Short mmCIF file of all heavy atoms in Angstrom, two decimals:
data_model
loop_
_atom_site.label_atom_id
_atom_site.label_comp_id
_atom_site.label_asym_id
_atom_site.label_seq_id
_atom_site.Cartn_x
_atom_site.Cartn_y
_atom_site.Cartn_z
N GLY A 28 1.90 1.91 7.15
CA GLY A 28 2.15 2.53 5.85
C GLY A 28 0.96 3.08 5.07
O GLY A 28 0.95 4.17 4.56
N VAL A 29 -0.16 2.28 5.01
CA VAL A 29 -1.26 2.73 4.22
C VAL A 29 -2.02 3.89 4.77
O VAL A 29 -2.28 4.91 4.11
CB VAL A 29 -2.25 1.52 3.85
CG1 VAL A 29 -3.49 2.04 3.16
CG2 VAL A 29 -1.52 0.49 3.02
N PRO A 30 -2.32 3.93 6.13
CA PRO A 30 -2.96 5.09 6.69
C PRO A 30 -2.06 6.35 6.53
O PRO A 30 -2.62 7.41 6.24
CB PRO A 30 -3.14 4.75 8.20
CG PRO A 30 -3.27 3.23 8.15
CD PRO A 30 -2.29 2.82 7.13
N ILE A 31 -0.77 6.18 6.69
CA ILE A 31 0.07 7.38 6.53
C ILE A 31 0.00 7.88 5.09
O ILE A 31 -0.08 9.04 4.81
CB ILE A 31 1.57 7.05 6.94
CG1 ILE A 31 1.60 6.84 8.45
CG2 ILE A 31 2.46 8.20 6.50
CD1 ILE A 31 2.91 6.26 8.94
N LYS A 32 0.03 6.94 4.12
CA LYS A 32 0.00 7.25 2.71
C LYS A 32 -1.32 7.99 2.36
O LYS A 32 -1.36 8.88 1.57
CB LYS A 32 0.19 6.01 1.82
CG LYS A 32 0.13 6.25 0.32
CD LYS A 32 1.29 7.14 -0.09
CE LYS A 32 1.19 7.24 -1.62
NZ LYS A 32 2.25 8.14 -2.13
N ILE A 33 -2.42 7.55 2.96
CA ILE A 33 -3.72 8.21 2.70
C ILE A 33 -3.66 9.65 3.04
O ILE A 33 -4.16 10.52 2.33
CB ILE A 33 -4.87 7.50 3.49
CG1 ILE A 33 -5.07 6.08 2.87
CG2 ILE A 33 -6.12 8.34 3.48
CD1 ILE A 33 -6.06 5.20 3.63
N VAL A 34 -3.02 10.04 4.20
CA VAL A 34 -3.01 11.43 4.64
C VAL A 34 -1.76 12.18 4.09
O VAL A 34 -1.70 13.38 4.20
CB VAL A 34 -3.10 11.57 6.15
CG1 VAL A 34 -4.38 10.96 6.65
CG2 VAL A 34 -1.90 11.01 6.87
N MET A 35 -0.79 11.45 3.56
CA MET A 35 0.40 12.07 2.98
C MET A 35 0.67 11.56 1.57
O MET A 35 1.56 10.72 1.36
CB MET A 35 1.64 11.84 3.85
CG MET A 35 1.54 12.47 5.28
SD MET A 35 3.06 12.09 6.19
CE MET A 35 4.31 13.01 5.26
N PRO A 36 -0.17 11.93 0.65
CA PRO A 36 -0.11 11.35 -0.74
C PRO A 36 1.21 11.64 -1.45
O PRO A 36 1.60 10.87 -2.30
CB PRO A 36 -1.25 11.99 -1.48
CG PRO A 36 -1.73 13.13 -0.68
CD PRO A 36 -1.31 12.87 0.76
N GLU A 37 1.95 12.64 -1.00
CA GLU A 37 3.20 12.97 -1.61
C GLU A 37 4.36 12.04 -1.13
O GLU A 37 5.44 12.04 -1.74
CB GLU A 37 3.62 14.43 -1.30
CG GLU A 37 3.96 14.65 0.21
CD GLU A 37 2.79 14.74 1.18
OE1 GLU A 37 1.63 14.60 0.79
OE2 GLU A 37 3.08 14.92 2.40
N LEU A 38 4.09 11.24 -0.09
CA LEU A 38 5.14 10.38 0.46
C LEU A 38 5.31 9.07 -0.41
O LEU A 38 4.33 8.52 -0.81
CB LEU A 38 4.71 9.95 1.89
CG LEU A 38 5.69 9.20 2.75
CD1 LEU A 38 6.90 10.08 3.13
CD2 LEU A 38 5.01 8.73 4.02
N LYS A 39 6.53 8.67 -0.63
CA LYS A 39 6.82 7.42 -1.35
C LYS A 39 6.87 6.32 -0.29
O LYS A 39 7.59 6.44 0.67
CB LYS A 39 8.11 7.51 -2.12
CG LYS A 39 8.44 6.28 -2.89
CD LYS A 39 9.67 6.48 -3.77
CE LYS A 39 10.15 5.26 -4.48
NZ LYS A 39 9.29 4.19 -4.81
N VAL A 40 6.08 5.28 -0.47
CA VAL A 40 5.92 4.28 0.57
C VAL A 40 6.18 2.90 -0.03
O VAL A 40 5.74 2.56 -1.13
CB VAL A 40 4.52 4.29 1.21
CG1 VAL A 40 4.41 3.13 2.24
CG2 VAL A 40 4.24 5.63 1.88
N THR A 41 7.06 2.10 0.64
CA THR A 41 7.22 0.72 0.36
C THR A 41 6.79 -0.19 1.50
O THR A 41 7.14 0.08 2.65
CB THR A 41 8.71 0.42 0.01
OG1 THR A 41 9.18 1.26 -1.01
CG2 THR A 41 8.94 -1.02 -0.31
N LEU A 42 5.86 -1.10 1.23
CA LEU A 42 5.38 -2.01 2.20
C LEU A 42 6.08 -3.38 1.95
O LEU A 42 5.96 -3.98 0.93
CB LEU A 42 3.85 -2.22 2.02
CG LEU A 42 3.05 -0.95 1.97
CD1 LEU A 42 1.54 -1.25 1.57
CD2 LEU A 42 3.03 -0.19 3.30
N LEU A 43 6.81 -3.83 3.00
CA LEU A 43 7.54 -5.07 2.92
C LEU A 43 6.79 -6.09 3.84
O LEU A 43 6.60 -5.88 4.98
CB LEU A 43 8.97 -4.92 3.39
CG LEU A 43 9.80 -6.16 3.42
CD1 LEU A 43 10.04 -6.70 2.01
CD2 LEU A 43 11.19 -5.82 4.06
N GLU A 44 6.37 -7.22 3.24
CA GLU A 44 5.64 -8.22 3.94
C GLU A 44 6.10 -9.59 3.49
O GLU A 44 6.30 -9.84 2.34
CB GLU A 44 4.12 -8.05 3.71
CG GLU A 44 3.27 -9.16 4.29
CD GLU A 44 3.43 -9.36 5.72
OE1 GLU A 44 3.43 -8.37 6.52
OE2 GLU A 44 3.61 -10.52 6.15
N ALA A 45 6.33 -10.54 4.46
CA ALA A 45 6.83 -11.85 4.18
C ALA A 45 5.80 -12.85 3.65
O ALA A 45 6.11 -13.83 2.98
CB ALA A 45 7.53 -12.42 5.37
N ILE A 46 4.54 -12.58 3.96
CA ILE A 46 3.48 -13.55 3.63
C ILE A 46 2.70 -13.08 2.38
O ILE A 46 2.17 -12.00 2.31
CB ILE A 46 2.48 -13.66 4.82
CG1 ILE A 46 3.23 -14.19 6.07
CG2 ILE A 46 1.33 -14.57 4.41
CD1 ILE A 46 2.46 -14.19 7.34
N GLY A 47 2.80 -13.95 1.36
CA GLY A 47 2.24 -13.62 0.05
C GLY A 47 0.78 -13.18 0.05
O GLY A 47 0.33 -12.33 -0.69
N LYS A 48 -0.04 -13.88 0.87
CA LYS A 48 -1.51 -13.55 0.88
C LYS A 48 -1.70 -12.11 1.43
O LYS A 48 -2.61 -11.42 0.96
CB LYS A 48 -2.26 -14.54 1.81
CG LYS A 48 -2.37 -15.93 1.25
CD LYS A 48 -3.04 -16.84 2.21
CE LYS A 48 -3.07 -18.30 1.70
NZ LYS A 48 -3.75 -19.21 2.60
N LYS A 49 -0.90 -11.72 2.34
CA LYS A 49 -0.99 -10.34 2.87
C LYS A 49 -0.51 -9.38 1.84
O LYS A 49 -1.07 -8.28 1.69
CB LYS A 49 -0.17 -10.21 4.16
CG LYS A 49 -0.85 -11.00 5.32
CD LYS A 49 -0.10 -10.84 6.63
CE LYS A 49 -0.71 -11.65 7.72
NZ LYS A 49 -0.05 -11.50 9.00
N VAL A 50 0.50 -9.74 1.06
CA VAL A 50 1.03 -8.86 -0.04
C VAL A 50 -0.12 -8.66 -1.06
O VAL A 50 -0.37 -7.58 -1.57
CB VAL A 50 2.30 -9.36 -0.71
CG1 VAL A 50 2.64 -8.60 -1.94
CG2 VAL A 50 3.39 -9.43 0.30
N ASN A 51 -0.88 -9.76 -1.35
CA ASN A 51 -1.98 -9.68 -2.31
C ASN A 51 -3.00 -8.70 -1.78
O ASN A 51 -3.62 -7.92 -2.54
CB ASN A 51 -2.60 -11.04 -2.50
CG ASN A 51 -1.68 -11.94 -3.30
OD1 ASN A 51 -0.81 -11.55 -4.00
ND2 ASN A 51 -1.94 -13.24 -3.19
N PHE A 52 -3.31 -8.75 -0.45
CA PHE A 52 -4.26 -7.76 0.14
C PHE A 52 -3.73 -6.35 -0.04
O PHE A 52 -4.47 -5.47 -0.45
CB PHE A 52 -4.51 -8.08 1.60
CG PHE A 52 -5.25 -6.93 2.27
CD1 PHE A 52 -6.59 -6.69 2.05
CD2 PHE A 52 -4.57 -6.01 3.09
CE1 PHE A 52 -7.27 -5.60 2.62
CE2 PHE A 52 -5.18 -4.92 3.71
CZ PHE A 52 -6.58 -4.74 3.46
N LEU A 53 -2.48 -6.14 0.28
CA LEU A 53 -1.91 -4.81 0.19
C LEU A 53 -1.94 -4.30 -1.27
O LEU A 53 -2.30 -3.11 -1.47
CB LEU A 53 -0.39 -4.83 0.64
CG LEU A 53 -0.24 -5.17 2.17
CD1 LEU A 53 1.20 -5.38 2.48
CD2 LEU A 53 -0.85 -4.06 3.01
N LYS A 54 -1.67 -5.09 -2.20
CA LYS A 54 -1.72 -4.69 -3.65
C LYS A 54 -3.19 -4.38 -4.00
O LYS A 54 -3.45 -3.39 -4.72
CB LYS A 54 -1.20 -5.79 -4.55
CG LYS A 54 0.31 -5.89 -4.49
CD LYS A 54 0.89 -6.99 -5.40
CE LYS A 54 2.38 -6.98 -5.32
NZ LYS A 54 2.97 -8.01 -6.19
N HIS A 55 -4.13 -5.16 -3.47
CA HIS A 55 -5.53 -4.92 -3.72
C HIS A 55 -5.96 -3.51 -3.15
O HIS A 55 -6.61 -2.76 -3.84
CB HIS A 55 -6.35 -6.02 -3.11
CG HIS A 55 -7.80 -5.79 -3.07
ND1 HIS A 55 -8.63 -5.83 -4.19
CD2 HIS A 55 -8.62 -5.42 -2.01
CE1 HIS A 55 -9.90 -5.59 -3.79
NE2 HIS A 55 -9.94 -5.31 -2.47
N ILE A 56 -5.59 -3.26 -1.90
CA ILE A 56 -5.98 -2.06 -1.26
C ILE A 56 -5.37 -0.78 -1.92
O ILE A 56 -6.03 0.25 -2.13
CB ILE A 56 -5.81 -2.08 0.27
CG1 ILE A 56 -6.74 -1.08 0.95
CG2 ILE A 56 -4.37 -1.80 0.68
CD1 ILE A 56 -8.16 -1.46 0.94
N ILE A 57 -4.12 -0.98 -2.37
CA ILE A 57 -3.50 0.11 -3.11
C ILE A 57 -4.26 0.42 -4.37
O ILE A 57 -4.52 1.59 -4.70
CB ILE A 57 -1.98 -0.25 -3.40
CG1 ILE A 57 -1.16 -0.28 -2.11
CG2 ILE A 57 -1.40 0.66 -4.44
CD1 ILE A 57 0.19 -0.95 -2.28
N ARG A 58 -4.64 -0.63 -5.07
CA ARG A 58 -5.33 -0.45 -6.33
C ARG A 58 -6.74 0.19 -6.16
O ARG A 58 -7.01 1.13 -6.83
CB ARG A 58 -5.49 -1.81 -7.03
CG ARG A 58 -6.07 -1.76 -8.43
CD ARG A 58 -6.09 -3.10 -9.13
NE ARG A 58 -6.82 -4.14 -8.35
CZ ARG A 58 -6.21 -5.14 -7.69
NH1 ARG A 58 -4.88 -5.27 -7.67
NH2 ARG A 58 -6.89 -6.05 -6.94
N ILE A 59 -7.51 -0.37 -5.22
CA ILE A 59 -8.87 0.15 -5.11
C ILE A 59 -8.91 1.57 -4.47
O ILE A 59 -9.86 2.31 -4.70
CB ILE A 59 -9.86 -0.83 -4.35
CG1 ILE A 59 -9.46 -0.96 -2.90
CG2 ILE A 59 -9.94 -2.10 -5.03
CD1 ILE A 59 -10.53 -1.61 -2.07
N LEU A 60 -7.89 1.95 -3.69
CA LEU A 60 -7.80 3.25 -3.17
C LEU A 60 -7.20 4.31 -4.17
O LEU A 60 -7.22 5.43 -3.90
CB LEU A 60 -7.07 3.31 -1.83
CG LEU A 60 -7.72 2.58 -0.68
CD1 LEU A 60 -6.89 2.67 0.58
CD2 LEU A 60 -9.17 3.07 -0.43
N GLY A 61 -6.63 3.73 -5.26
CA GLY A 61 -5.97 4.55 -6.23
C GLY A 61 -4.79 5.34 -5.72
O GLY A 61 -4.48 6.44 -6.16
N LEU A 62 -4.01 4.66 -4.88
CA LEU A 62 -2.82 5.29 -4.30
C LEU A 62 -1.61 5.17 -5.28
O LEU A 62 -1.47 4.10 -5.87
CB LEU A 62 -2.47 4.61 -2.96
CG LEU A 62 -3.56 4.68 -1.87
CD1 LEU A 62 -3.10 3.87 -0.61
CD2 LEU A 62 -3.86 6.12 -1.49
N ASN A 63 -0.86 6.21 -5.35
CA ASN A 63 0.31 6.30 -6.23
C ASN A 63 1.57 6.29 -5.42
O ASN A 63 1.55 6.72 -4.23
CB ASN A 63 0.24 7.51 -7.11
CG ASN A 63 -0.98 7.53 -8.05
OD1 ASN A 63 -1.25 6.47 -8.63
ND2 ASN A 63 -1.65 8.60 -8.06
N ASP A 64 2.68 5.91 -6.01
CA ASP A 64 3.98 5.87 -5.29
C ASP A 64 3.97 5.08 -4.02
O ASP A 64 4.53 5.50 -3.00
CB ASP A 64 4.49 7.28 -5.06
CG ASP A 64 4.92 8.01 -6.29
OD1 ASP A 64 5.40 7.33 -7.21
OD2 ASP A 64 4.82 9.21 -6.36
N ILE A 65 3.29 3.91 -4.07
CA ILE A 65 3.30 2.99 -2.94
C ILE A 65 3.35 1.59 -3.54
O ILE A 65 2.66 1.27 -4.50
CB ILE A 65 2.05 3.13 -2.04
CG1 ILE A 65 2.12 2.14 -0.89
CG2 ILE A 65 0.75 3.09 -2.82
CD1 ILE A 65 1.06 2.36 0.25
N THR A 66 4.31 0.80 -2.97
CA THR A 66 4.51 -0.51 -3.53
C THR A 66 4.53 -1.58 -2.44
O THR A 66 5.05 -1.31 -1.33
CB THR A 66 5.91 -0.56 -4.16
OG1 THR A 66 6.02 0.50 -5.15
CG2 THR A 66 6.18 -1.92 -4.87
N ALA A 67 3.92 -2.72 -2.72
CA ALA A 67 3.91 -3.82 -1.72
C ALA A 67 4.81 -4.93 -2.31
O ALA A 67 4.58 -5.31 -3.42
CB ALA A 67 2.48 -4.34 -1.51
#
């Protein structure tokens, strides 16, 4: 999801993950990369 979102900023992406620590990482990477329309 994240690599695709980087090259396709117009795409709406939802990242579904069962492990909370990994979700925290995903939220962190979304924030620091400044990605929009992507949710973990």
Side-chain angles (χ1 to χ4, degrees):
V29 174
I31 293 170
K32 180 64 177 179
I33 291 171
V34 300
M35 294 182 66
E37 70 283 0
L38 189 68
K39 181 173 175 24
V40 176
T41 302
L42 307 172
L43 178 64
E44 173 55 49
I46 299 171
K48 290 177 184 178
K49 292 180 181 182
V50 173
N51 290 339
F52 167 75
L53 295 170
K54 288 180 178 181
H55 169 75
I56 204 67
I57 290 166
R58 185 177 55 255
I59 67 165
L60 294 181
L62 300 174
N63 298 312
D64 287 329
I65 180 169
T66 306

